[in-house]
Amino acid sequence: MSDDLFNSVDALLAAVNTGLPAPAERARLRLAAGLTPAQIAAALRVDSALVKGWEDGSAVPGPDIAPAYGRLLDGLAARFPAAQPAAAPAPAVPQAFTAPAPAQEAADGLVVPLLDQNPDGSLVMGDAAPCVQCGQPSVYRAQGRPMHLGGYCRPAATAVQQPAPAPAGQAPTAPAPAAPTPVASVPVRPAPTASPAPTAKARPATSRPAGRPAAPRSSGPTAAPSAAAARWWPAVALDVADGGGWVLDVPQIPVPAGTKLPDWFAWLGTGLPLRVERAHPAGRGGDGMVCLTAAALKQLGLPAALPTTEKALTALQAKMAKAAATVGMELSDQIGPSFHAFRRAGSAGGPKTSVRVTVAPWLGQGDGRQQAVSALAGPLATAPDGTKDGLTLARRYRAFTTDLGVAPGATTASTAMLLLDAVRPRVEWTKDQTTGEWSSHLREGALPSGDLCVPPAAGARHPLTRELLSKGEAVCEEEDYKWWARELTTEEARRPWAVAVDVCASYLSVTDSLRLPIGPYQYVENPAWDGKAAGLWWADFTGIAVDELLPHPATFHGRPPTGPGWYATVTVAYMATTYGFDPSTITAGYLAAHTAPLLKEWTGHIRGGYKRAYAELGLFDGQSPTEFLAAYAVHKDIGTDPVRADALVLAGAYKNVYKGGIGKWADSARHLDDQTWLEKVAASWSYDPALRFQVIAAARIAAHRRLRKTLLLTGRAPFAVNVDSYLYATDAPSPLELLPVKDDGTPVPGALRLGIAPGSHKHESSIPLQAVVEAMERREHPSKLVHHYTTDGTPIGEQTGADGEAAGTGNDDEEGGN
């Protein structure tokens, strides 16, 4: 009993000695700032349960964490002081303050006032006073009156409710139900797509050609962003208005005060509400971006094209660095299409800040390094007329970031790795209770760094692979189908058409629930088979009878294997359950002790963006086969519709993100020498060809399962396959006759079906069968004809290559086609 009493007294003394506000005040400050316990816990590197305990009084911050927590609370208290019974009159605006710019119109047509600015472009700040919109304290001013940043008031659900102050001389009344105000109803989506271009609602009816089905408009992820996220934008475009002044495509952000280069840098350093929010509480956010248009370049006195000589480029660098230094800002070491402007902590001119700048007209220019770091920005900035446009880039950048939860990286392949680390952070920080030191460690289910390759699946460039091949030993060959074809049956040869269908997002159809190996693999002789252990197995499928009309399920060339080989778990399981393979004959394996659905969150983000983009193009779940075929035939007809143009570009980017991401696991980085490649690539957590083999094997087996079920139900089989493009002999230039359906006309699950969802199929082209026969007689693969004909069988001339979804084994830029 005495120990309990002493502990209670010690806890009380600790609470008194912390010097922190009362628990209730801690909660009020956090809510006023729109922060979550998880965000504060991540900043202080503690568990979120502790933060909740500090706010309800059940826990006390230790002496090691109390100073940092106190610093946070002091900062929040300065910005969000407790409301007084009667509001003090708003302080007069000093003469140095500039008049506010006229209110601008938000994306939904609502008027949002801009905040007052100083001559240098910084925001006017005064003593905290109740906002005229919501009554909560604000240090910002609009037309001299207290107002929140950009008019974005904190939602009532996350702020302590206080009655608005009564006018002087009038008795306060009971608060009435709050009527909606323009500010309160401004969308809180963190990436609004407002721009001078007409929105979906403003487009004339003639912008959609006849016959193009309308699609339900999707606004991206359904999860509502937090109050904190609603105050940030990933990107904004700076353009010039008709009258010569500045205009931004996000009107809630104040414009620069002047048109000179120093004015622009002063504006960049004012702490603009530009930031890419973290996708996971344990992850990290990123700098926001300012996109410059051609008109903005001219007004700032910058060249329309990036200088091509070293002397001119050096002069430009010096000019911009000098202008930035006047307000304490610095620039990246090298100026190019994309660079950073930042101010270090303690520098004169303002607070620490960092902003990414992308000059749209410069994209695609500069040396190889400059072009590489902005490779993905180029397509995102390309308007329908082919020009590089800053407004287009900012609009698509915001949509991309909202859809995927991460900003575009240098390439789609590197973006895929950034996304995986953003939605499933690998590292978290913990504190040693003995020493008090903080250290980082891998989170549960994270991929470790280091060269963990196993010899059979080390990638084409790895020394382990070279060693095995030099000894004549086998390596893993789990790849997509490549150039398989068979002779036409007598019945097929009588049909006049060959119809090509292609699997939509084949990898995304398997990565959501696929359990992948985590950590190092162990070599095991005569391993026990349970159908679940992830890894590679030394199995012999020779002599196993399979469907003669289909490619062999276990080989990329589609022909029966000639001996034992290394196969992924999913391939072995399919051969065992479908064709009677005996797993007890497996003599060796490289198996992982732990598995995890590594790509689950990653898949969800990409699939969500992919489906939203295609919905804008008239393709969405639930369409009948005929509706889908009609919509797909015109989905690339964008006309002058900016919404469709953006959706088409983003859909292609999302497809290349997942294809390039899978290929990134086997990155060969051909521009690096062997030793550098081993140190920087093979030793990275993002290099593990065995993971790529597992994903591709799962996609190939899923495709074979659909082909086999369709064969069993309809008796129809493809006579040629390349990657996930299949050619069937048909009676009409349409795939409708191939679809197995139930008695009620609905598609049979697990068989060939038309649709845009991952794992469904689309109609690529229809080819006269005679042309196919002639190509096969020339010993050419018929899939090379796929892009020579339209879906109605009209010849369109020779073009290069066939469409496919192969996940590359090369560098970042090898990402497959659309």
Side-chain angles (χ1 to χ4, degrees), residues 426-567:
R426 299 176 55 251
V427 173
E428 65 182 359
W429 290 83
T430 56
K431 178 184 175 183
D432 189 311
Q433 298 299 325
T434 303
T435 64
E437 296 293 329
W438 288 91
S439 61
S440 63
H441 70 277
L442 289 178
R443 299 178 69 243
E444 183 179 357
L447 292 172
S449 297
D451 188 349
L452 304 177
C453 292
V454 292
R461 186 172 178 179
H462 203 285
L464 292 173
T465 301
R466 298 175 182 174
E467 181 181 354
L468 282 182
L469 294 178
S470 67
K471 296 178 180 178
E473 298 183 19
V475 296
C476 183
E477 295 182 329
E478 293 276 25
E479 296 285 355
D480 292 298
Y481 283 125
K482 299 290 194 299
W483 311 110
W484 174 84
R486 60 170 172 80
E487 292 185 1
L488 295 167
T489 65
T490 303
E491 183 181 0
E492 288 172 337
R494 288 198 295 263
R495 293 191 165 104
W497 294 97
V499 166
V501 294
D502 180 82
V503 182
C504 297
S506 60
Y507 301 144
L508 290 186
S509 68
V510 298
T511 51
D512 181 67
S513 58
L514 181 64
R515 297 193 67 86
L516 294 171
I518 299 295
Y521 301 82
Q522 300 294 328
Y523 177 75
V524 181
E525 293 188 354
N526 300 316
W529 170 260
D530 62 1
K532 298 179 181 179
L536 301 176
W537 309 79
W538 182 252
D540 189 353
F541 299 141
T542 58
I544 302 294
V546 296
D547 300 280
E548 295 182 355
L549 295 179
L550 298 177
H552 196 283
T555 62
F556 72 90
H557 46 69
R559 300 185 300 273
T562 57
W566 292 102
Y567 299 95

Side-chain angles (χ1 to χ4, degrees), residues 264-275:
W264 178 60
F265 280 114
W267 174 71
L268 292 178
T270 56
L272 299 173
L274 297 174
R275 184 162 181 80

Side-chain angles (χ1 to χ4, degrees), residues 500 725-727 764-767 782-790 796 801-803:
S725 178
Y726 316 134
L727 273 73
E764 285 191 288
S765 67
S766 297
I767 311 164
S783 67
K784 292 183 177 181
L785 299 173
V786 166
H787 293 284
H788 298 172
Y789 294 86
T790 64
I796 56 177
D803 187 16

Side-chain angles (χ1 to χ4, degrees), residues 11-34:
L12 181 61
L13 290 174
V16 173
N17 292 335
T18 60
L20 299 175
E25 176 65 6
R26 303 170 195 171
R28 186 196 72 79
L29 290 172
R30 176 180 61 77
L31 292 172

